[in-house]
Amino acid sequence: MKQVVIALLVLLLTGTLYAGWNYSDYSATDYKNFRTNPRFNQKIDPDAIDYPLANAAIFFMTNEVRVKNGLNPLEYSQELEIAAWHHSRLMVEKNFFSHTNSRDSSRRDPSSRGKLAGITNPALAENIAESFGINYRPGSPIYPKNVEKGEFSYSANGPLIENHTYISLAESLLAQWMNSSGHRGNILSKSALQMGCGVYFYRDRSFYNIFKCRATQNFQWFKPVIAGDRTDTLPEVK
């Protein structure tokens, strides 16, 4: 039902009807064709976020980077996406930014989070990042225009900075990770077999309600995921 509502909103705003991302779409989409899918080029609406679509964009972008560096693409894992998305969500909701969740001992490290996602044999490597939901040029001064809506401009009387599209958000996150040796090492690891990604958006009340996000990548190394019972669930459209 939520995906129907999102699609109708997009139709009203753009004149184009795009269905929300379904997990069956992974069978027809990969790193070679995801850029031509118009759904990924939609601007992110803070009030109607398609989390499965956002997570898929990061997944395909990561595989694109791996292939450009001479490596095989990684297989998608729902369990790894579940672990990644819930860690990003809780980093926002519990206000921390770390691979260690000190707020909940059952989720303290990537392996324990993997078990809650249904991974019986977790061998996880993890990347995390903070970024913006607006398509902001890092290091540039910005001017608040509408605090309630979290709108900004690069100059006092300039146009508003637009929100990221799903694909440009993924590009910004991958650029950040690839500029860090440890994160880059996880992305380009030959030990990695499967991957799942998860991003969670929020308004930063400490800085004029700016639209931001925290993101997680989880990689399963050495042996494929053996799935068992889950405690956590897949993300839904907001």
Side-chain angles (χ1 to χ4, degrees):
M1 181 61 184
K2 287 183 179 179
Q3 290 189 337
V4 173
V5 173
I6 299 305
L8 290 174
L9 285 171
V10 172
L11 175 61
L12 289 171
L13 293 172
T14 68
T16 306
L17 180 62
Y18 299 127
W21 182 262
N22 290 311
Y23 287 95
S24 60
D25 293 332
Y26 279 100
S27 63
T29 311
D30 61 18
Y31 70 92
K32 293 179 285 188
N33 65 13
F34 78 105
R35 287 182 177 272
T36 64
N37 187 326
R39 286 180 289 182
F40 290 112
N41 289 299
Q42 299 173 76
K43 286 189 175 63
I44 301 171
D45 179 353
D47 297 317
I49 298 166
D50 188 334
Y51 276 114
L53 182 66
N55 299 343
I58 302 167
F59 173 83
F60 293 124
M61 190 72 66
T62 307
N63 270 340
E64 182 183 74
V65 168
R66 281 180 59 88
V67 171
K68 285 180 178 178
N69 283 273
L71 297 168
N72 292 327
L74 299 177
E75 178 185 333
Y76 167 70
S77 163
Q78 278 195 357
E79 290 78 16
L80 291 171
E81 179 180 350
I82 291 169
W85 186 77
H86 282 277
H87 187 54
S88 295
R89 177 181 64 83
L90 289 169
M91 283 196 294
V92 169
E93 293 180 353
K94 302 300 183 182
N95 193 28
F96 71 96
F97 182 69
S98 173
H99 294 288
T100 301
N101 183 344
S102 60
R103 312 302 203 264
D104 185 342
S105 60
S106 70
R107 301 174 181 274
R108 184 169 180 81
D109 53 40
S111 290
S112 61
R113 296 190 286 271
K115 290 177 181 177
L116 291 172
I119 302 171
T120 63
N121 61 330
L124 271 63
E126 184 177 83
N127 287 343
I128 58 175
E130 292 184 298
S131 192
F132 296 93
I134 61 172
N135 199 349
Y136 167 67
R137 297 192 300 266
S140 301
I142 55 176
Y143 297 78
K145 303 289 283 187
N146 185 319
V147 173
E148 183 178 344
K149 294 182 179 180
E151 295 176 340
F152 293 82
S153 173
Y154 288 119
S155 61
N157 298 309
L160 296 179
I161 302 171
E162 295 184 345
N163 287 347
H164 269 299
T165 64
Y166 289 91
I167 204 165
S168 67
L169 174 75
E171 287 173 334
S172 72
L173 289 167
L174 263 296
Q176 184 180 153
W177 279 320
M178 290 299 285
N179 283 327
S180 164
S181 60
H183 298 100
R184 180 186 177 94
N186 284 339
I187 289 170
L188 301 182
S189 172
K190 294 180 180 179
S191 298
L193 301 177
Q194 295 165 298
M195 173 178 53
C197 307
V199 62
Y200 199 81
F201 294 90
Y202 66 103
R203 294 285 189 184
D204 187 346
R205 308 300 180 191
S206 68
F207 192 79
Y208 305 106
N209 285 330
I210 194 168
F211 188 35
K212 296 176 72 175
C213 68
R214 289 180 176 171
T216 305
Q217 291 175 306
N218 281 142
F219 305 87
Q220 173 76 355
W221 285 13
F222 310 127
K223 293 183 179 181
V225 166
I226 299 174
D229 294 335
R230 302 174 180 172
T231 298
D232 290 338
T233 59
L234 285 164
E236 297 180 354
V237 175
K238 180 178 176 180

